[in-house]
Amino acid sequence: MGGKARTVFQNLALAAFPLLALNAAAQAGDQAWLQYRPSTMPPNIPTRVVRLGDSQVEKSAAAELVRGLQGLYGKGEEDAKADRHSIVLGTFAEFHKRYAGWKAFGGEPEMYPEVIWEANAPLDRRHQPMKNNFGRAEDAFAIAHDTGLGTQTIFVEAPTDRGVLYGTFALLRMLASGEKPPQKGFRDHPALPIRWVDDWDNPDGSIERGYAGRSIFFEGGNVRTDLAPVGEYARLLASVGINGCNLNNVNAAPHLLDSDHLKQLARVADAMRPWGVRLAMSVAIASPQTIGGLSTFDPLDPDVKAWWAAKVAEIYTLIPDFAGFTVKADSEGQPGPASYGRTPADAANLLAAALEKHGGVVLYRAFVYNHHADWNDPKADRARAAYDIFHPIEGAFAPNVIVQTKEGPIDFQAREPASPLFAGLQHTSQAMEVQITQEYTGQQRHLVYLAPMWKQVLDFDMRADVKPSPVKEILAGRTFHRPLGGMVGVSGIGRDSWLGSPLALANLYAFGRLAWNPDISPEEIAAGWVRQTISTDPQVVSTVVKMLIQSWPAYENYTGPLGMQTLTDITGSHYGPNIESSENNGWGQWHRADHQGVGMDRTVATGTGYAGQYAPEVAKMYESLATTPDNLLLFFHHVPYTYKLHTGKTVIQYIYDSHYEGAAQAAQFVKDWSTLKGRVDDRLYADVLARLEYQAGHAIVWRDAIVQYFLRLSGIADDQGRAGHYPGRLEAEDARLTGYRVIDITPWEDASGGKAVSCDKEACSAEWIYSGPAGRFDLAVQYFDLQGGTAQFTLKVNGQQIATWFADATLPSKRPDGDNSTRRIARGIELKPGDTLRIEGIPDNADPAALDYIEITGAARSPGFAEY
Ligand code: GCV
């Protein structure tokens, strides 16, 4: 806070800011959805818990159930002796042992076809778990009301203790959502065997693309002493069925493989094991050379093979249930097999061979591309890379290799088509990688519920072999009969209330639920999350679900519609608007906007040929302008701004309209949330409100940047007359300035009119004379909240202080631009013609109290302001 005393806001209507982490207490699952708030007990719910087994996982299940029952209904206890009127948890084998003549589901024969349960058969004829222990059957469960023991006895039964845990959480989920478990019982199993989170944590405690503080795993080069949050994280993961956690950055620090660090990692595995979450780690393929002292890391070299075999054996002595490795190679500067002319399959199989006998798997990332592509080459296309590299070696991967492919062909943009590789690997198990951490989708400062985006890709029919083949079926191994497969979510969990923002946690929850069952609708997932996390009050549920569901379309609208991708700062923060940063460089996130038109031609006929990587029916759809959906038009085609969409609207008008619509949607979120005052926890209310107000302001920054950029580039006016016209806006560069000097903002579109003012004196001011009509108005102050200092701003009308605040938010970028352009609104201010409006700025260290404009909204939307 720059050591300054804080001045109390004089205008209480000003939004509370910055975005504070509310939870000073120890980090726990209760701060997410495992809250078990007091609730009315449905009839016939027993509160005694009987645990039939003694494994750590079953102990966790029983303890969680007791905790849940106590929280929900004020009573719950473990009672080993009880039978009737209790909830009995156990594996099939344990049920058999305890109850003579016991039959799973009361002997009901019907089973899921994929799940080979022979629970009612003699023990020696029962299904043996897969060697790698990743399977759907292993994680299945059933919840039965046992009539033999009395109607108030509930059995949670499963082939393994992990299944018991998942069944327990499913039961609790129902109870905490205010639902009664169906009297006839129910059973469930995961669709996808691999349900992992990837944490991109670095040994120094930082997190790549993390927006929630520092690592829960590491600090100062080592695993942290306090691993309590790791246990709580595993609890959260288990509650939605996640069974693996890859704890370190895929840009892997090789020294994590040294003996000392492996011992430390064993502590992390110990912390997660009680929750059935297996530890995995990212490894650098060059490790045999960088830390092993070998002269090579050639995957076909016998010494390299021996090195990995020994290293893996060492890992398994410390972590017997180690899940496996994740590999990023030949990508963004990471070394890989290409250095030796070897393929990804050579590298993956090298590790797979070492892991196989221990039951481990390799998740080899298909995110392999050249980030020095030639922008001047119309055929160059980063989107092609994964398919071009992996499809030709299809079938060459060992059975315990899973190729991990990002959902789209570029990199977690606001919208992308499903990666064509999903249909391009028919003999290899596949996992889809998605981002829970909102790198390109607002970095948790913007509300963006990602389940609808993921669901759309999961449901997308790849039409492989001219047959129905939705991505979710491919991942489940059903389409191509693969034993493994799944979903991996890049999590970004940190020490700041898990994901920093309370509503962002819906994404972690939704990821787990979709990985378990990709058929659940995003709405249903959202509703369950709200009921468990915020309230079961129907008004709260419907309001928050509506906001969540509208949030991705809103974000897409004001950042990158029509498949242009997120038009953000590609070479830097990946946060605020910076349209040209994607162009003219080797990173390949191009949209090729020029004076005439916009979009990447990825057709086979005239473009990069990317569309041809899809199966014929899909390729045909994307090849043609007529059949490409509007929301991906500019991903596949370069068209003039005057090109008409299927709706009849021109591309340029859609760009204008969608940005205004998106910003209006973001403003509506504030209003929607405001209706919940008094219906949700007060602190949560204030925290979320501040975040949504910030988002609404930043959506305007996005809107104006993109709209004014395309207005200038295309020279085509907005038929609604909004683009480039900002009545009520008083530019700082037009004010009477004392101390402030006018600066150019880079990129120009990030400031209104491309200019702002910056203070390099002790204090500066900007003054305008108001000449609009008299009345009450909202005054929005648009300023730049830079890192490296805490500038102070004061708003005065006729010398009277209206508000004063510190620019102390943590936003990217050290110079004034769209990353840190921030809006603060003073509401209901009385103005009359001739009033003096004044902003005083006091810089602090590297923050020069830069100012873009003030905007007067309300009745004064007509022009007529006198400016100095
Ligand atoms: C871990 C994007 C991100 C990088 C990330 C990379 C990847 O490029 O910006 O931070 O690196 O994807 O997925 O490997």
Side-chain angles (χ1 to χ4, degrees), residues 200 208-209 251 328 332 365 367 406 411 439 574:
W200 286 352
E208 178 134 359
R209 309 300 174 189
N251 295 323
K328 172 177 180 178
E332 300 185 334
R365 298 177 85 225
F367 189 63
K406 289 190 181 185
D411 197 359
E439 176 181 354
H574 299 184

Side-chain angles (χ1 to χ4, degrees), residues 246-316:
N246 188 94
L247 87 168
N248 61 312
N249 194 348
V250 286
N251 295 323
H255 72 271
L256 284 182
L257 276 172
D258 69 30
S259 299
D260 177 37
H261 283 92
L262 288 180
K263 286 187 196 113
Q264 299 182 28
L265 296 190
R267 290 182 45 240
V268 177
D270 292 346
M272 296 191 141
R273 190 170 296 112
W275 300 98
V277 178
R278 290 170 69 184
L279 187 74
M281 70 184 291
S282 305
V283 291
I285 206 74
S287 300
Q289 190 179 63
T290 46
I291 61 159
L294 300 186
S295 59
T296 177
F297 62 92
D298 180 351
L300 300 191
D301 182 282
D303 290 342
V304 169
K305 286 186 188 174
W307 188 88
W308 280 111
K311 192 44 82 183
V312 167
E314 183 185 353
I315 293 174
Y316 277 90

Side-chain angles (χ1 to χ4, degrees), residues 607-619:
T608 69
Y610 165 80
Q613 293 185 334
Y614 289 92
E617 291 165 87
V618 179

Side-chain angles (χ1 to χ4, degrees), residues 759-814:
C759 180
D760 41 25
K761 305 264 183 324
E762 280 207 352
C764 301
S765 66
E767 255 182 35
W768 304 260
I769 300 293
Y770 175 72
S771 67
R776 283 170 86 83
F777 302 99
D778 292 347
L779 261 63
V781 181
Q782 196 73 35
Y783 62 100
F784 298 88
D785 188 339
L786 270 65
Q787 281 180 21
T790 305
Q792 185 177 2
F793 292 92
T794 302
L795 168 65
K796 290 182 176 170
V797 175
N798 296 331
Q800 210 194 341
Q801 185 171 307
I802 301 291
T804 185
W805 68 95
F806 290 91
D808 57 1
T810 308
L811 295 162
S813 183
K814 295 192 166 103

Side-chain angles (χ1 to χ4, degrees), residues 614-681:
Y614 289 92
E617 291 165 87
V618 179
K620 195 171 161 216
M621 172 178 77
Y622 288 141
E623 182 74 13
S624 153
L625 268 168
T627 49
T628 301
D630 285 347
N631 59 23
L632 283 171
L633 177 73
L634 304 180
F635 195 89
F636 285 98
H637 301 276
H638 184 86
V639 296
Y641 293 108
T642 49
Y643 178 80
K644 287 209 171 115
L645 303 171
H646 291 114
T647 55
K649 194 179 268 189
T650 61
V651 163
I652 189 68
Q653 193 56 43
Y654 188 89
I655 292 174
Y656 297 142
D657 290 352
S658 65
H659 283 83
Y660 276 90
E661 188 187 334
Q665 286 169 301
Q668 183 62 37
F669 296 152
V670 176
K671 293 184 192 146
D672 292 343
W673 182 255
S674 302
T675 63
L676 303 183
K677 190 170 171 54
R679 287 181 176 267
V680 300
D681 175 82

